[in-house]
Amino acid sequence: CNHLLYNPSIAGQITGRSSTSSLVFSRHSSKFGSQDRDRRENPCSLFSFSKMANSVGGVARLSDDASSSWRDLSIPTDVWSASCRRAYDALSAEMAAAAADGADWEKKPYLVDMTDAADEPRLLTRVDREQTGRFFNYAFWVSCAESRLRGVIEFGPYVQGPPSCAHGGATATIADACMGSLIFHLGRRAVTANLNVNYRGLVQLGVPYAMEASLERTDGRKLFMTFRLSSADGTQLCVESTALFLTSHVHPRDMAAQQAASARDAKAVSADYVFPEKSGDPKL
């Protein structure tokens, strides 16, 4: 959900304009019709945020305008620790300098509609739509040219494992999410086939960490990914992960529906099957 799509039909709904050429944000949800659900475009080719800023007032217009129901969860708020906000500012400045030198590093937002119902499905790593700071606070940049993702993150108190430290499942979730996000922003659609995580040190709650994901190589449908979670200054490696993703032309939602239908069919066949009565025949 909350994928970024080009949807002229709701341009006026979000931007206040009726232009069909505007680049707008749309949630990948059923209320925008089957046409959007069936789209298969390359998400990287749909827009750039520089164009977004020039055409409809930018991310700030959607996420910072008090009258807007849209919020960008990747923008630091007061619930982020001061040290994490400093780490964010430092990485943001580094990315801006790299972009000024011609690199294609680009900040990737995560917009949500605050008018959604409370039971609306949420991305696991963005479950804290109310921005309480209790789960994951993070932001990242992507370079399509380098096939890399870099970001900053801190783990909140609701993902605790050992006392005052993040649960290993929470750090593994972030590893998988970052590698998957990189693949998405590279314009591919893929699902995790294998995930390996090595824990090199404890990850403290409320402390900023640097994260990096890379696409190392491809082999047909196979995408070989790596992930590293380190201290903010990069001196201590805490988590490293490798993963195999498989690309697919089938949307994960459709894949899940197909699997559910197969399971229902198998159950129906099983219910209709008449088992032979037990007998002395060893083949039965």
Side-chain angles (χ1 to χ4, degrees), residues 245-260:
F245 283 72
L246 296 179
T247 60
S248 174
H249 295 298
V250 180
H251 193 281
R253 178 199 59 250
D254 301 329
M255 190 182 302
Q258 292 174 4
Q259 292 174 348

Side-chain angles (χ1 to χ4, degrees), residues 185-264:
H185 288 293
L186 292 177
R188 298 170 181 256
R189 176 170 289 149
V191 292
T192 312
N194 179 268
L195 178 68
N196 299 293
V197 182
N198 293 316
Y199 300 97
R200 303 301 189 188
L202 293 174
V203 176
Q204 300 180 50
L205 300 179
V207 174
Y209 289 89
M211 54 187 186
E212 180 176 340
S214 299
L215 171 60
E216 298 297 326
R217 63 187 178 92
T218 63
D219 181 7
R221 293 180 55 213
K222 298 178 181 179
L223 306 178
F224 295 88
M225 311 294 298
T226 60
F227 172 85
R228 293 167 61 91
L229 184 73
S230 308
S231 57
D233 60 6
T235 59
Q236 181 181 357
L237 177 63
C238 299
V239 177
E240 60 179 350
S241 175
T242 59
L244 169 63
F245 283 72
L246 296 179
T247 60
S248 174
H249 295 298
V250 180
H251 193 281
R253 178 199 59 250
D254 301 329
M255 190 182 302
Q258 292 174 4
Q259 292 174 348
S262 298
R264 287 193 299 269

Side-chain angles (χ1 to χ4, degrees), residues 43 46 108 128 136 157 201 259:
L46 294 181
K108 300 301 182 181
D128 191 13
F136 307 96
Q259 292 174 348

Side-chain angles (χ1 to χ4, degrees), residues 108-144:
K108 300 301 182 181
Y110 190 84
L111 294 178
V112 295
D113 187 350
M114 300 302 291
T115 62
D116 280 344
D119 59 352
E120 183 85 7
R122 303 184 184 188
L123 184 68
L124 175 59
T125 57
R126 295 296 191 185
V127 68
D128 191 13
R129 188 180 67 183
E130 293 76 20
Q131 296 180 292
T132 64
R134 296 170 179 168
F135 296 91
F136 307 96
N137 300 323
Y138 71 100
F140 61 80
W141 286 253
V142 167
S143 168
C144 290

